[in-house]
Amino acid sequence: MTSAILPALTAAVRAAAHPPPGGPGACGGGDAILAERADATVVRHGGVVAKAHAPDTDPAELAARLDVAARLPGILLAPLRPAATDLHGRLVTLWPHGVPVDRDDPDAAPWEAVATLLARLHATPPAALPRTLPAMRGPAKAARAVDRLRASGPHSAAPPVLRAWADLPPWARAEAPAPGPRRLCHGDLHLGQLVRAPEGNWLLIDVDDLGDGDPAWDLARPAAWFACGLLAPGEWTRFLDAYRGAGGPAVPTGGADPWPALDVPARALTVQTAALAITKSVAAGRPLDEVEQALVDACDRMGKVAARPAQFAPDTTK
């Protein structure tokens, strides 16, 4: 499917980058494939990015998510057109190109910027949102990762991951609605979902998982990285302090322990990431690398401290 959509998507992004009366070559840019997966194909030409969404994308839900992005231009990258178009059976959206976070310079990661954007997203008043806001898809993505792990066949690292998954409450496994107040959530937050706009400000991208849910889910990936020892305490503190400083509602204010709010989502994201790591290693016929094994080890630890959420986090006092 991705190979079939790619030529048509490339033609579409070229046409969008050169609207009449401009002609080919007016923008001076070439084509670039930014992603080519079963669930998304993304192509850039000049200052325009075209995305073919997953084949099973719900048109009404995508329309609501695009509406939200258009309403919150200072938080989310706004689409160039208000509606998706059908291209060979795939829904396609057009976006301005933004500069992503530099993966080769982790020390320059804009933790304060992403935390502030999240806080503003979570604090969005209901009046600013469409009435038909879909559910945030974070738990559904975690459940899909576990399904892929089970389908990949037996693996020595799978049991602790599956046990950690089974210990999660139903809402974190996409089997029930999330408890507590529901907020506008991104649903798949990581630094790859951040771009710098031409004006110089950072914005969140990728609305595919945007929706109504527990805002703690959006803090869960950096929380999980910290808990697994993959994110330095200083960077985690910068992120958490900036989120609190911007009035983010997902965790208690001040110096109160954030882990009772973050524990379940962080565990779910750890399971999701570990499950995907094992699945990829099986497909590639290779052993788990050091980072992937650390995620599996974290899943094993989680089963031993289920009653004490704060113990999931590493001891930073030593």
Side-chain angles (χ1 to χ4, degrees), residues 44-45 56 107 149 170:
R44 173 194 175 192
H45 184 86
D56 61 351
D107 292 337
L149 172 62

Side-chain angles (χ1 to χ4, degrees), residues 39-189:
D39 63 340
T41 303
V42 185
V43 176
R44 173 194 175 192
H45 184 86
V48 179
V49 173
K51 178 174 183 176
H53 297 260
D56 61 351
T57 298
D58 183 284
E61 291 186 355
L62 179 58
R65 291 175 168 123
L66 291 172
D67 187 9
V68 172
R71 294 174 187 230
L72 303 176
I75 302 173
L76 294 160
L77 185 69
L80 291 175
R81 295 179 184 173
T85 57
D86 185 282
L87 188 63
H88 294 282
R90 298 280 290 274
L91 292 174
V92 172
T93 52
L94 296 173
W95 306 85
H97 176 258
V99 179
V101 174
D102 186 353
R103 295 183 179 181
D104 296 327
D105 189 9
D107 292 337
W111 290 111
E112 290 84 358
V114 69
T116 300
L117 288 170
L118 275 185
R120 293 175 59 198
L121 184 76
H122 295 163
T124 301
L129 303 173
R131 296 180 182 178
T132 56
L133 189 67
M136 179 264 292
R137 294 201 316 161
K141 292 191 74 170
R144 189 161 60 246
V146 172
D147 288 343
R148 289 178 59 188
L149 172 62
R150 291 184 173 125
S152 67
H155 192 284
S156 60
V161 178
L162 296 175
R163 285 196 300 269
W165 179 251
D167 287 342
L168 292 171
W171 75 266
R173 302 195 305 261
E175 298 171 1
R182 299 168 71 85
R183 302 272 188 168
L184 177 62
C185 303
H186 183 274
D188 186 29
L189 194 281

